[in-house]
Amino acid sequence: MTSKSPVRTAEDIDEASLSYAEIKALASGNPLIKEKMDLDVQVGKLKLAKANYLSEKYDLEDKIIQYYPKKLSMIREQINAYEIDLSSTAEVEDFTGMTLQGKFYEEKELAGNALLLICKQDKTSKQKEIGQYRGFELKLSYDSFYNYHKLILKQNGTYQVELGTDVYGNITRIDNVIGSISKKLEAEKSLLSEIEHQFETAKEEVKRPFAKEDELNEKLARLSEVNKELDIGKSDEEIDMEQDTEEVENKRNEISR
């Protein structure tokens, strides 16, 4: 009902209905009728399996054309940004100063207090630039739903820091995020390798034919033969007309006798 894979089916035997020709064949004790019923079920299941196969194939084709190329391009751009930021950002042991709203703070405590004051005075969700630190632009915004300020560090890449209420803790959090760029870079490289593998696998998988195509065609051909032998290919109206014609012919024969 959701059109999602895997497809699941359920059958209600109470819903089975027979045509006039099927009833006629069944009443006659023709063994072909049982074969036809079995073939109907088997063909139905095979058709459903093929529909599921085609759905997955079309999904893979869409991913090959759109999703994977875009995803790989985004990851490569992210890797490039991380590499540039990592190479251009020097490691520091001591606080090197922070610029906030045009004023440079040499001391960590003063910078931390200034950052807290800015947060206290601004609780708007709109992101705005408030300064620079270690070569990164600092952009502040407020998340009213979760009730906290978030600081965006922007150079070539973009990094987010959730701010707290501690004077020294916020600057430590910023330093930790900058220090984690190398880990982010390795994570993106691993993701790139994984997506590339998925891409190649998808290109191979989409070439795979329906595994039961021959079986389906064989059973369809046999079902067609059985239907012809049982006259089930004809509509009930056509069969009624044949019955009426046969009765008229019988009456004519009786009269002529």
Side-chain angles (χ1 to χ4, degrees):
M1 294 177 69
T2 62
S3 299
K4 296 180 180 179
S5 297
V7 175
R8 296 184 174 88
T9 63
E11 297 178 359
D12 187 349
I13 59 173
D14 293 334
E15 292 298 320
S17 59
L18 300 177
S19 68
Y20 183 88
E22 290 170 331
I23 294 174
K24 177 182 177 182
L26 186 62
S28 67
N30 192 333
L32 287 176
I33 193 64
K34 183 181 184 303
E35 183 182 358
K36 177 210 161 20
M37 295 299 183
D38 291 339
L39 285 170
D40 281 337
V41 172
Q42 293 170 18
V43 167
K45 289 181 177 179
L46 288 170
K47 284 184 175 180
L48 187 60
K50 184 173 183 179
N52 188 33
Y53 156 81
L54 290 174
S55 176
E56 292 177 352
K57 181 179 179 180
Y58 297 150
D59 183 56
L60 279 178
E61 289 175 346
D62 288 341
K63 287 183 176 180
I64 290 170
I65 295 171
Q66 299 183 17
Y67 171 76
Y68 286 118
K70 289 181 180 178
K71 184 69 174 177
L72 290 171
S73 177
M74 290 174 59
I75 295 173
R76 291 188 179 110
E77 288 179 6
Q78 192 75 280
I79 288 175
N80 184 59
Y82 287 161
E83 287 177 337
I84 296 174
D85 289 348
L86 186 62
S87 63
S88 62
T89 305
E91 294 184 6
V92 297
E93 294 183 2
D94 299 320
F95 182 70
T96 57
M98 178 182 288
T99 300
L100 294 171
Q101 294 183 331
K103 184 176 180 180
F104 182 74
Y105 296 89
E106 292 184 3
E107 296 182 15
K108 188 174 184 179
E109 183 178 358
L110 293 177
N113 280 318
L115 183 57
L116 286 177
L117 182 60
I118 294 172
C119 291
K120 184 177 180 181
Q121 293 174 344
D122 189 300
K123 287 194 174 183
T124 59
S125 59
K126 185 177 180 180
Q127 191 178 105
K128 65 178 183 178
E129 187 174 346
I130 62 170
Q132 298 85 35
Y133 179 61
R134 294 178 62 184
F136 292 85
E137 294 179 1
L138 304 179
K139 297 182 179 182
L140 184 71
S141 63
Y142 178 70
D143 191 320
S144 58
F145 185 81
Y146 291 103
N147 191 31
Y148 74 90
H149 284 85
K150 58 182 177 182
L151 193 66
I152 301 299
L153 280 64
K154 182 72 174 72
Q155 202 176 94
N156 291 279
T158 302
Y159 315 89
Q160 180 175 307
V161 183
E162 181 180 335
L163 298 178
T165 58
D166 185 84
V167 174
Y168 299 101
N170 284 332
I171 296 178
T172 299
R173 291 183 182 187
I174 297 172
D175 286 332
N176 288 340
V177 168
I178 294 174
S180 68
I181 294 177
S182 59
K183 293 182 180 179
K184 293 180 182 293
L185 175 59
E186 292 304 315
E188 287 298 311
K189 287 182 177 179
S190 295
L191 181 60
L192 177 63
S193 177
E194 180 182 343
I195 298 299
E196 285 177 337
H197 176 70
Q198 291 179 7
F199 191 20
E200 293 303 317
T201 301
K203 287 190 287 187
E204 291 298 322
E205 188 69 15
V206 79
K207 299 176 184 178
R208 180 179 59 85
F210 179 51
K212 298 184 178 180
E213 185 70 37
D214 292 340
E215 182 181 356
L216 174 59
N217 291 332
E218 180 184 337
K219 292 188 182 300
L220 281 171
R222 179 54 186 163
L223 180 60
S224 177
E225 293 175 1
V226 172
N227 283 338
K228 287 179 181 179
E229 292 186 42
L230 294 174
D231 280 339
I232 291 177
K234 301 177 181 179
S235 66
D236 291 347
E237 290 79 4
E238 290 174 324
I239 293 171
D240 287 336
M241 291 178 64
E242 288 182 356
Q243 291 281 345
D244 293 340
T245 301
E246 184 179 345
E247 290 179 3
V248 170
E249 289 296 328
N250 290 337
K251 287 181 179 179
R252 285 179 178 176
N253 291 334
E254 290 178 359
I255 292 173
S256 62
R257 290 171 186 175

